[in-house]
Amino acid sequence: MSGNQWGPPPGQYPQQPPQGQYPPPGQPWAPQQPQYGAPPQYGAPQYGPPPGQPQFGWGAGPGGPKPPRKKGGGAKLALTVVGLIVVGVVGLVGVSTALKHNGSDDGPYSSQPEPTYSSTYGSSPSYTPTVDQPTPTTTQSVTKPPPRPTTTRPVVKPTAPRTTRPKKPVVVLTDLDIVARNRLYKSGAMRSVNCKESKARQSTYAGATANYKNLWNCLNRSWPSLVTKSGAKFRPPNVRTFTGTINTPCGSWNDSGPPFYCPSTETIYMNLTEDVGHYNQYNQSIPRVWSRMWMLHQFAHEYGHHVQELTGIFRAYSRMRYEAPSTAKELELSRRLELQASCFSDIFIGANRNSYPISGQSAAQWRYLIGHVTDNNNDHGDAPNHKYWALRGYNTRNPSSCNTYVASPKKVQ
């Protein structure tokens, strides 16, 4: 989860939302000031805006409390949850029914598995043709001459020393190799899939869920080619929308915090209460455009964490963070992971900028959004660096521009 937050342009929207509470599904929304508590332990942090202004964030996902760093022999037994993923799911995970308006059916939606067809082909039966031998036409006997004496000479085979090809050395990739020299960086630019924005609006739970499903389908068509070229197998993530409190393999979380990605089940968790609340908080068109752009960016960001998981970057990062010699180094590694996920997010947005589209007021609000983030916990990157990496992804549409792991420390502050 994230401490990476932002709010609407100052002077355009009220800075102090009115008091109230989110109603049960089907009732008109009454705005409120969300309550935020202290951020939890590493692996599943919750973040919220400073009191008095609606700021927002996304995150890499919870994974439980981080075990102590290795000081002796036994400390390493408690490995961090986010790094231990068994990748054993093959095929597409499919979509369940859309979340109902009353929020009582917040189940995962995933793709139906592709049917598998197989055929067995065998060779044709073999046969040996029979040839009739000629029959003699006379009864004369034929005397064969005696056989000539033969001599046998020993056959001497030439000998030559056998040569064996040396075995190729086994290349063992380090975690730094995986994050800094991943083959994903050579997969090329992303092509547009002509993704179009959903006509539904997130004024209701059903509308927000429809937006997510639309983006999920677009992203599932955008990333497979690049992931496959990296040598990894593509699997679409699961998506779960929720209100209230949700129990996950990465911990229990409530809708006062932002969305998150849980790598142990490759699931994106999206907060419906937050999205509907943002959209309905103001009646003006500009903040609603802003909320739509924020919804686009945060979902694509969480999907970026899934791409990191598929290509091994997420797990390698988790091991590197566990072995980090200091808290400062841990936070730097976290910023590299999060800024890369935002760069991946904007690869998709940039590739589909004409069809979505990112133009006019949408482009203005998107540019404001990527350049106005706060990083209260120093684990996601400051506003200038977030904008820097977001624009790199947007302009190049190529993962090679998102290699935060070879960037100088100043570019990931």
Side-chain angles (χ1 to χ4, degrees):
M1 212 167 301
S2 165
N4 205 350
Q5 303 163 341
W6 54 85
Q12 294 191 34
Y13 322 143
Q15 294 300 308
Q16 177 66 37
Q19 299 297 316
Q21 63 179 8
Y22 295 104
Q27 299 297 323
W29 184 81
Q32 73 163 13
Q33 175 66 32
Q35 301 299 314
Y36 299 90
Q41 295 175 333
Y42 164 72
Q46 291 177 339
Y47 307 97
Q53 68 177 33
Q55 297 183 335
F56 318 103
W58 54 63
K66 181 183 179 233
R69 278 193 222 90
K70 182 175 64 177
K71 299 293 184 182
K76 196 171 181 179
L77 292 177
L79 293 176
T80 179
V81 174
V82 294
L84 299 179
I85 315 294
V86 178
V87 182
V89 181
V90 178
L92 295 176
V93 190
V95 179
S96 73
T97 56
L99 181 68
K100 295 182 180 177
H101 182 76
N102 60 13
S104 63
D105 187 17
D106 295 331
Y109 55 89
S110 50
S111 61
Q112 294 295 331
E114 293 282 345
T116 303
Y117 301 95
S118 62
S119 300
T120 303
Y121 298 89
S123 60
S124 301
S126 59
Y127 66 93
T128 303
T130 302
V131 180
D132 293 334
Q133 299 296 327
T135 56
T137 56
T138 62
T139 58
Q140 294 179 354
S141 61
V142 179
T143 304
K144 295 181 179 181
R148 295 181 180 181
T150 59
T151 58
T152 58
R153 294 180 180 179
V155 179
V156 179
K157 296 182 179 180
T159 60
R162 287 186 178 182
T163 58
T164 57
R165 295 182 180 179
K167 295 182 179 180
K168 293 182 179 180
V170 178
V171 178
V172 180
L173 296 178
T174 65
D175 290 330
L176 181 60
D177 290 329
I178 295 173
V179 299
R181 287 176 282 278
N182 200 284
R183 289 170 59 186
L184 179 66
Y185 305 138
K186 298 181 179 180
S187 60
M190 178 181 288
R191 295 183 178 181
S192 173
V193 294
N194 294 316
C195 181
K196 296 181 180 179
E197 185 178 10
S198 171
K199 294 182 179 180
R201 291 292 176 258
Q202 56 265 42
S203 58
T204 63
Y205 295 155
T209 302
N211 272 270
Y212 291 143
K213 286 188 176 182
N214 175 66
L215 286 171
W216 181 76
N217 282 317
C218 290
L219 286 156
N220 287 344
R221 292 185 287 124
S222 298
W223 278 106
S225 175
L226 276 62
V227 170
T228 302
K229 288 178 182 178
S230 76
K233 291 184 178 180
F234 177 79
R235 297 178 301 278
N238 301 309
V239 177
R240 293 212 50 189
T241 56
F242 69 97
T243 60
T245 300
I246 186 169
N247 297 318
T248 80
C250 294
S252 297
W253 306 102
N254 59 57
D255 57 11
S256 65
F260 58 92
Y261 175 76
C262 183
S264 62
T265 56
E266 299 182 358
T267 301
I268 296 171
Y269 292 88
M270 300 306 297
N271 183 344
L272 286 172
T273 304
E274 186 178 55
D275 295 328
V276 174
H278 293 342
Y279 189 82
N280 291 333
Q281 189 166 359
Y282 307 108
N283 293 325
Q284 299 93 333
S285 62
I286 291 179
R288 289 191 167 184
V289 172
W290 174 88
S291 68
R292 284 158 46 203
M293 292 300 100
W294 175 78
M295 195 172 185
L296 163 68
H297 198 282
Q298 69 164 357
F299 190 87
H301 173 101
E302 300 305 331
Y303 202 105
H305 284 309
H306 180 63
V307 173
Q308 291 171 325
E309 172 61 23
L310 294 177
T311 54
I313 294 174
F314 203 115
R315 280 169 286 172
Y317 148 80
S318 298
R319 293 188 293 266
M320 292 173 68
R321 178 159 179 164
Y322 176 74
E323 297 291 345
S326 64
T327 300
K329 188 63 177 178
E330 288 181 13
L331 292 173
E332 179 187 314
L333 288 169
S334 177
R335 293 193 297 272
R336 292 183 188 274
L337 182 85
E338 296 294 340
L339 289 170
Q340 183 179 70
S342 283
C343 189
F344 286 171
S345 171
D346 289 288
I347 285 178
F348 166 76
I349 296 173
N352 295 276
R353 69 182 78 178
N354 294 325
S355 59
Y356 201 80
I358 306 299
S359 61
Q361 194 58 240
S362 295
Q365 295 304 313
W366 170 79
R367 288 185 179 275
Y368 176 87
L369 180 151
I370 63 172
H372 290 76
V373 300
T374 60
D375 188 18
N376 297 328
N377 295 297
N378 198 27
D379 59 353
H380 278 65
D382 59 20
N385 279 308
H386 184 270
K387 184 176 182 179
Y388 170 80
W389 289 104
L391 287 175
R392 282 176 66 90
Y394 182 83
N395 291 327
T396 67
R397 308 181 299 281
N398 195 317
S400 64
S401 299
C402 300
N403 191 351
T404 57
Y405 290 94
V406 297
S408 68
K410 290 184 178 180
K411 287 298 182 183
V412 292
Q413 287 181 344

